[in-house]
Amino acid sequence: MTAAAALAGLLHQGGRPTWQLPELTGLNRLPPRATVRRGPARTVDLDGVWDFRLVPRPEDAPAALARRTGWHRVEVPGLWTMQGFGRPHYTNVQMPFATRPPCVPEQNETGIYRRRFELPRGWRRRPVVLHFGGCEGALYVVVNGEPVGIGKDARTPAEFDIGEVVRHDGPNELLAVVVRWSDASFVEDQDQWWHAGLPRSIALYSPSVGDVEARAELDPDLRDGTLRVSAGVEGEVRLLDARGRVVLAGPLEDGRFEGRLRRPAQWSAERPSLYAVEVTAGGETVACDVGFRRVEVRDGLLLVNGRAVLINGVNRHEDDDVRGRAITRASMERDAVLMKRLNLNAVRTSHYPNDPYWLELCDRLGLYVVDEANIESHAYEHELCRDGRYLAAWLDRVRNMVERDKNHPSVILWSLGNESGYGPNHDAAAGWIRGRDPSRPLHYESAVRSPSHADSSRWGEGRRVTDVVCPMYPPVEAIEAWAEADSDDRPLIMCEYSHAMGNSNGGLAEYFAAFRRHPRLQGGFVWEWADHGIRQTDRAGRAYWAYGGDFGDRPNDRNFCADGLLWPDRTPHPAVEELKHLGQPVSVEAIGGGRFRVHNRHELLDLAHLRIAWTLEADGVEVARGVLPVLRTAAGASEEVAPALPAGGGERFVTFRSTLRRATPWAEAGHLVAWDQLPAGGRPRRTALRRAVRPRREDGALVLETHGTRAVVDDRLASLTFGGREVLASGPAVQVWRAPTDNDGLSLMPERGRGFGFGPLARWLALGLHELVREVERVSVRGDAVEVVTRASGRARPADVRHVQRLRLSGDGSLHVENEVRLGEGMVDLPRVGVVMELVPGLGELEWLGPGPHEAYSDRRASTVVARHRSTVDDEYVPYVFPQEHGHHPDARWLRLTGPGGGLEVRGQPTIGFSAGRFTADDLTRALHTVDLRPRPTTVLSLDAAQRGLGTASCGPDTHDRHKLLDRVYRFAYVLRAP
């Protein structure tokens, strides 16, 4: 048989195209089996450079095999959509094409991969298994012109026995044909880029030992453990501890082994103690890691080894800004280490089983895993879960996950998938898992789905398929009401919350406070780990990250893929500090009289592994420091301490910082684990006005001048000089607009019904806040003050803002500016209230006393500390994939902008919010990508009386009312002077 004929036979069965046959989930695929380590003598790595060609349709593939031209060389693992063929396509809910399941477009890119291989000499008369770790698209395999099989689950292995078709005395030809769209695409409709290709490793192996199931279980009393191994062969089993010592051994009888171990080291995220199971049979030894632990839902709590765990987790897609989903081991290692360094303890594999190496890392470093089946039918979520044609797909995909990952101790919950409705297909899948692996509870969000995020009325449903209540994006008030109702005997763990799109994650502190108040609120998984931008360069060679629509992909959901805690290159967003701080395992509170209480929030560890140091600062200047004695406070307990704090004046703060005493596999000694800052006396001070200088008229303007300070006021603060050096390029003007954050309203997607309607942005635009026209009504002298009255209104829109500035020059050269902003009818819940000015070029060095060092907002500032912080105007830029508001610092006592040309100091009365950057709010509003921005030579300084909180309304709750600007009158003051 020719390769073309073999492929044609696989592509059509019974006259039907197999890529549109949902009842057929695969052909000739071997049963799924657990991941084990095999020796190099029994494996052949097929990763590397393959021949490749792309044809428009599956029907074109057989004929294309014989053509000599049109072939290219590509990397495997790899995706053709990231290697110059076809294009990536981003959608969230909607499918990328209009046909209904199971039909897909006739124009359906099909990639043909080809390579040759030879078998080792010792493999003659032995089984040969061909392993594909995953395939983005439907997979068709031909070896030496013989049809081998089909696989359709993109994110779990497809394995085929090719022992009857391979040659042992010469080269073999392997063809892997990938059909991009298939019936399987409708149940792989995850919120991610659509790619195509071979993203995971491909290998051959020759097994004597096939599937290995190794269960390391703790007794109900959590003292001793039992190891049960099933391998289906006669052989030997050994259990080795972390030092490589054999602690259990024995024969496999009828393919099974059972042994007892007294007081095994227990596995948990805090103490990930692993043992190695080795199985030897037929001259081959395979191995896998196991951990003794017990997972159960009991008394309304999720328990690991008898202890309730607070899940501080994230959702993680597999994504790389250059390689797409063909991620490397180094990338996975970087992710896992960074999660541990950020005090995260759990990850949900959204929304499919991740590369097996990811689970190895979670086992080794200590991360709890919600392992999710590769099922999401979001565009047809209430149809396919009830479609009998897709029942086999549901069962196949959960089986593939469970059998592959069953030995990993990090996996504590099996998830039936994501956003696929709830129907009999789920009941069947859940029933299979419960019968196959009763050692882990089940998770499935759609079974508890409510009509709205705030409605908990249906959270009690779905017990057949979920053992935890796992809603998406509920407000804090909803989860607390659920906990107080006490009508459900399951724990609540939010599968997604705090949507991290752009400048986001407002309100995290309120969630963690609720977790602390209600034990059955056991945390959740932030959406999500990293932005999914694809690295591109513009014509000038500047790099940026592209999102949906940038590749001509239609339809698309634009920048909704940029919704992570990290940039695509894994640089953390500022909000990461908030999540790290709130999830820290030790905290300190003041209890009065110079005494403090240290809380150990670990599940198992005492505090002896931490060095807890303290510093005392007054007005930002350190006056004392010390280190607490070694604390052996038990997990869950507290201890009082009394550091020797000297008396003194000024605004005082004591800051406790906890660092690692010794290095761990994920951090060096000295790594900062936790910090808390507590007030220790005093308040921010106001700057006194000393002997105000009376204004005078000069050339039609009003002038305030004394001791080298000169302020000229006409219809604005036209100029301000210190010692003859100009500092203002344009004077302070009222500002009530900010470049919209993604949570204010998704600027790029109004046509999708996701745009301006869900948030305040639509109202702000209707008011005309983005195009205010300012008109000075009056400049006059009022006693010792110059008063400037300005009216601002939207260009042909109803915005109405009245701004009164009163300027007084103190005898010491300080310019005191009092502000009153009155908002007209309908002007409520604005983005910000303050003033904006531009400083002359050259003032790029920044220092301030106030919360920092990272940007912060009223609903995302728990992680900041009040101190003297240093930065530069350029470094204040936060390059969110979609440009938006950034760089705000609330409650500064003072700030200084300096350079060779002089400088400017601003003092709050007593505090002021600010941002200092190279872009105006309008610059940021107009830009679609970071490369659209052109930094100004001036410094744009915004001084804010208040700015709206962030919330997470791009996909979740808006900010709380207490973080909205609901007043109609705002009064604030600041002082300008030479630094």
Side-chain angles (χ1 to χ4, degrees):
M1 181 180 292
T2 67
L7 178 58
L10 290 174
L11 288 170
H12 288 82
Q13 296 278 313
R16 298 177 63 187
T18 52
W19 66 91
Q20 296 183 132
L21 192 60
E23 298 91 342
L24 180 69
T25 61
L27 183 65
N28 295 336
R29 233 179 51 207
L30 291 172
R33 59 185 70 181
T35 306
V36 295
R37 297 188 290 272
R38 298 182 186 273
R42 295 294 185 94
T43 59
V44 174
D45 183 2
L46 296 182
D47 292 348
V49 178
W50 289 49
D51 295 331
F52 174 80
R53 72 178 306 146
L54 189 66
V55 296
R57 306 179 309 151
E59 294 90 342
D60 300 329
L65 294 176
R67 297 188 191 127
R68 292 178 177 269
T69 60
W71 292 89
H72 306 271
R73 304 285 278 169
V74 297
E75 289 288 333
V76 174
L79 299 162
W80 77 63
T81 46
M82 299 296 286
Q83 297 187 70
F85 304 92
R87 63 188 178 196
H89 192 147
Y90 171 64
T91 63
N92 174 18
V93 177
Q94 60 184 330
M95 293 295 293
F97 45 79
T99 57
R100 289 185 56 82
C103 298
V104 296
E106 181 180 352
Q107 293 299 308
N108 185 2
E109 288 180 348
T110 299
I112 305 170
Y113 292 85
R114 182 180 67 188
R115 70 158 294 162
R116 294 192 171 195
F117 65 89
E118 294 188 8
L119 295 177
R121 291 178 180 272
W123 285 22
R124 190 177 297 275
R125 293 184 295 278
R126 293 194 50 80
V128 180
V129 175
L130 173 59
H131 168 95
F132 290 84
C135 174
E136 292 290 308
L139 173 67
Y140 295 79
V141 181
V142 175
V143 174
N144 294 333
E146 297 294 330
V148 170
I150 302 171
K152 289 186 180 177
D153 182 353
R155 314 284 164 68
T156 56
E159 295 188 333
F160 306 94
D161 182 351
I162 61 170
E164 297 298 319
V165 299
V166 291
R167 305 185 188 101
H168 291 270
D169 54 358
N172 295 272
E173 183 182 68
L174 167 60
L175 294 172
V177 178
V178 180
V179 178
R180 184 168 191 178
W181 308 122
S182 73
D183 55 82
S185 302
F186 295 97
V187 291
E188 295 175 350
D189 180 22
Q190 290 101 357
D191 174 13
Q192 243 286 14
W193 289 97
W194 295 92
H195 286 297
L198 297 171
R200 294 184 183 170
S201 286
I202 303 172
L204 301 166
Y205 66 93
S206 180
S208 294
V209 181
D211 190 25
V212 174
E213 179 176 3
R215 290 193 179 188
E217 299 176 339
L218 286 178
D219 293 348
D221 62 7
L222 305 175
R223 291 166 56 89
D224 299 334
T226 300
L227 175 69
R228 295 181 175 89
V229 177
S230 175
V233 293
E234 300 297 318
E236 300 290 326
V237 171
R238 299 195 309 167
L239 182 70
L240 287 69
D241 67 12
R243 297 183 181 180
R245 300 175 300 186
V246 177
V247 294
L248 272 180
L252 282 160
E253 298 178 353
D254 296 325
R256 298 179 180 278
F257 168 86
E258 182 172 319
R260 298 275 294 165
L261 188 64
R262 289 179 55 80
R263 296 186 179 278
Q266 299 182 9
W267 187 96
S268 71
E270 286 185 1
R271 192 177 285 155
S273 301
L274 290 175
Y275 293 80
V277 171
E278 293 183 346
V279 175
T280 301
E284 181 187 30
T285 297
V286 302
C288 67
D289 293 331
V290 297
F292 286 88
R293 57 106 180 91
R294 186 180 186 89
V295 183
E296 56 192 328
V297 171
R298 177 163 46 86
D299 301 326
L301 298 171
L302 174 67
L303 306 176
V304 177
N305 302 339
R307 293 177 178 267
V309 297
L310 179 62
I311 298 297
N312 184 24
V314 290
N315 287 272
R316 175 184 175 270
H317 267 296
E318 293 184 316
D319 187 74
D320 182 271
D321 63 342
V322 174
R323 298 176 57 85
R325 267 191 292 280
I327 59 175
T328 64
R329 287 195 165 200
S331 171
M332 289 184 266
E333 290 163 359
R334 179 180 57 185
D335 278 0
V337 166
L338 185 53
M339 286 182 187
K340 293 291 291 187
R341 293 174 67 91
L342 296 176
N343 293 329
L344 296 166
N345 68 353
V347 60
R348 177 176 172 230
T349 66
S350 52
H351 298 292
Y352 40 81
N354 287 183
D355 187 289
Y357 186 61
W358 176 251
L359 295 185
E360 288 185 37
L361 292 170
C362 294
D363 292 342
R364 188 189 314 160
L365 297 181
L367 288 165
Y368 297 123
V369 174
V370 175
D371 202 358
E372 194 144 87
N374 184 25
I375 300 171
E376 181 169 342
S377 58
H378 206 158
Y380 297 93
E381 63 177 324
H382 301 298
E383 298 177 36
L384 298 191
C385 62
R386 302 177 180 279
D387 189 332
R389 297 174 299 173
Y390 276 89
L391 173 60
W394 255 254
L395 291 169
D396 184 65
R397 287 159 185 263
V398 298
R399 181 186 179 216
N400 292 341
M401 170 184 68
V402 171
E403 296 294 358
R404 193 198 73 169
D405 298 341
K406 59 199 169 197
N407 296 334
H408 289 283
S410 57
V411 176
I412 63 169
L413 291 168
W414 296 121
S415 172
L416 301 184
N418 184 67
E419 294 178 320
S420 301
Y422 176 36
N425 292 353
H426 292 101
D427 289 332
W432 184 88
I433 296 179
R434 291 193 189 281
R436 180 65 181 89
D437 179 28
S439 71
R440 295 176 174 95
L442 298 188
H443 167 288
Y444 184 57
E445 178 271 337
S446 291
V448 300
R449 180 76 59 85
S450 295
S452 71
H453 295 318
D455 179 8
S456 61
S457 63
R458 286 178 51 190
W459 292 357
E461 299 180 5
R463 291 175 178 272
R464 288 198 297 268
V465 298
T466 186
D467 298 309
V468 295
V469 176
C470 45
M472 284 186 179
Y473 306 108
V476 173
E477 297 81 1
I479 63 172
E480 291 207 271
W482 175 90
E484 290 162 2
D486 199 25
S487 58
D488 203 312
D489 59 358
R490 297 173 293 177
L492 185 146
I493 300 171
M494 294 175 289
C495 70
E496 296 177 20
Y497 81 113
S498 192
H499 194 251
M501 188 174 180
N503 191 358
S504 185
N505 301 106
L508 269 174
E510 283 84 353
Y511 281 102
F512 275 82
F515 302 158
R516 307 297 184 198
R517 286 192 291 266
H518 303 282
R520 290 199 304 130
L521 301 181
Q522 287 187 251
F525 297 86
V526 169
W527 185 268
E528 67 160 313
W529 179 236
D531 293 335
H532 304 153
I534 294 178
R535 183 176 291 273
Q536 300 286 285
T537 55
D538 67 5
R539 293 178 179 177
R542 296 176 303 171
Y544 68 100
W545 283 297
Y547 45 73
D550 286 341
F551 301 95
D553 44 321
R554 298 287 188 272
N556 65 77
D557 285 291
R558 301 304 296 264
N559 66 314
F560 206 67
C561 58
D563 53 1
L565 291 161
L566 317 177
W567 276 277
D569 65 358
R570 294 330 195 242
T571 301
H573 287 185
V576 160
E577 295 297 319
E578 192 86 347
L579 187 59
K580 176 181 178 179
H581 173 70
L582 294 168
Q584 63 191 23
V586 57
S587 63
V588 185
E589 68 169 336
I591 56 177
R595 300 187 64 81
F596 301 85
R597 183 173 289 118
V598 180
H599 298 277
N600 183 358
R601 301 195 185 280
H602 286 94
E603 297 160 18
L604 295 171
L605 303 178
D606 65 22
L607 296 181
H609 67 293
L610 296 177
R611 178 183 186 270
I612 306 179
W614 58 268
T615 57
L616 177 67
E617 293 184 344
D619 294 329
V621 178
E622 183 181 304
V623 294
R625 66 167 53 203
V627 178
L628 297 182
V630 176
L631 300 182
R632 303 190 182 277
T633 314
S638 302
E639 186 168 342
E640 290 187 13
V641 296
L645 303 181
E651 185 187 16
R652 294 153 56 90
F653 290 93
V654 59
T655 306
F656 294 86
R657 293 180 174 87
S658 301
T659 57
L660 291 176
R661 291 186 180 275
R662 298 177 183 84
T664 69
W666 45 269
E668 68 285 351
H671 166 71
L672 180 64
V673 172
W675 65 98
D676 284 291
Q677 185 178 74
L678 302 160
R683 293 182 177 181
R685 292 180 292 185
R686 295 178 179 271
T687 301
L689 177 66
R690 300 179 181 176
R691 192 175 52 79
V693 176
R694 295 188 65 83
R696 70 173 190 272
R697 294 194 176 274
E698 183 178 299
D699 298 329
L702 294 171
V703 177
L704 295 164
E705 187 172 17
T706 185
H707 297 303
T709 300
R710 176 182 171 90
V712 178
V713 186
D714 45 22
D715 58 350
R716 56 189 177 90
L717 180 54
S719 66
L720 177 63
T721 61
F722 294 115
R725 293 182 174 179
E726 189 82 30
V727 295
L728 283 184
S730 64
V734 64
Q735 180 171 240
V736 295
W737 175 252
R738 72 180 182 195
T741 69
D742 289 311
N743 294 323
D744 292 335
L746 292 175
S747 304
L748 292 180
M749 293 195 292
E751 73 280 4
R752 290 285 305 135
R754 304 195 57 91
F756 310 143
F758 76 85
L761 180 55
R763 183 165 37 79
W764 297 345
L765 293 172
L767 288 170
L769 300 188
H770 60 303
E771 51 181 10
L772 284 186
V773 177
R774 300 173 182 87
E775 180 180 351
V776 175
E777 293 185 344
R778 185 180 73 248
V779 179
S780 59
V781 176
R782 293 294 179 97
D784 56 4
V786 175
E787 185 174 271
V788 182
V789 180
T790 303
R791 180 79 66 176
S793 58
R795 196 183 307 275
R797 304 195 189 209
D800 181 17
V801 181
R802 185 174 186 269
H803 178 213
V804 178
Q805 297 182 86
R806 297 181 183 90
L807 298 88
R808 292 181 173 86
L809 185 62
S810 180
D812 62 2
S814 301
L815 183 65
H816 293 242
V817 185
E818 296 177 353
N819 295 264
E820 179 181 281
V821 176
R822 291 185 175 272
L823 305 176
E825 193 68 30
M827 299 281 290
V828 67
D829 188 17
L830 300 189
R832 76 192 322 160
V833 173
V835 296
V836 61
M837 61 189 80
E838 286 192 62
L839 310 186
V840 296
L843 305 183
E845 298 297 319
L846 172 63
E847 182 182 9
W848 77 96
L849 173 59
H854 44 274
E855 68 176 18
Y857 294 79
S858 61
D859 60 353
R860 200 191 74 205
R861 58 178 295 180
S863 56
T864 62
V865 294
V866 175
R868 293 191 180 199
H869 303 287
R870 291 184 180 273
S871 181
T872 68
V873 171
D874 293 329
D875 288 343
E876 286 295 286
Y877 173 48
V878 185
Y880 293 111
V881 171
F882 180 73
Q884 56 197 272
E885 155 64 29
H886 65 268
H888 179 65
H889 301 286
D891 288 333
R893 280 64 174 167
W894 52 259
L895 65 107
R896 296 185 185 119
L897 287 154
T898 58
L904 176 69
E905 179 178 289
V906 182
R907 288 192 170 266
Q909 294 290 77
T911 65
I912 193 77
F914 80 94
S915 63
R918 299 296 187 195
F919 311 107
T920 65
D922 186 61
D923 294 337
L924 294 167
T925 300
R926 294 175 182 274
L928 300 180
H929 298 87
T930 52
V931 290
D932 296 332
L933 292 166
R934 298 292 184 269
R936 293 171 179 253
T938 56
T939 294
V940 180
L941 176 62
S942 295
L943 300 178
D944 291 330
Q947 194 172 148
R948 194 181 196 272
L950 299 171
T952 64
S954 54
C955 191
D958 197 358
T959 191
H960 194 278
D961 281 355
R962 63 177 168 272
H963 302 301
K964 296 177 182 177
L965 278 58
L966 302 179
D967 295 331
R968 297 283 293 280
V969 179
Y970 291 85
R971 296 181 177 89
F972 59 100
Y974 56 88
V975 176
L976 305 178
R977 68 183 193 183

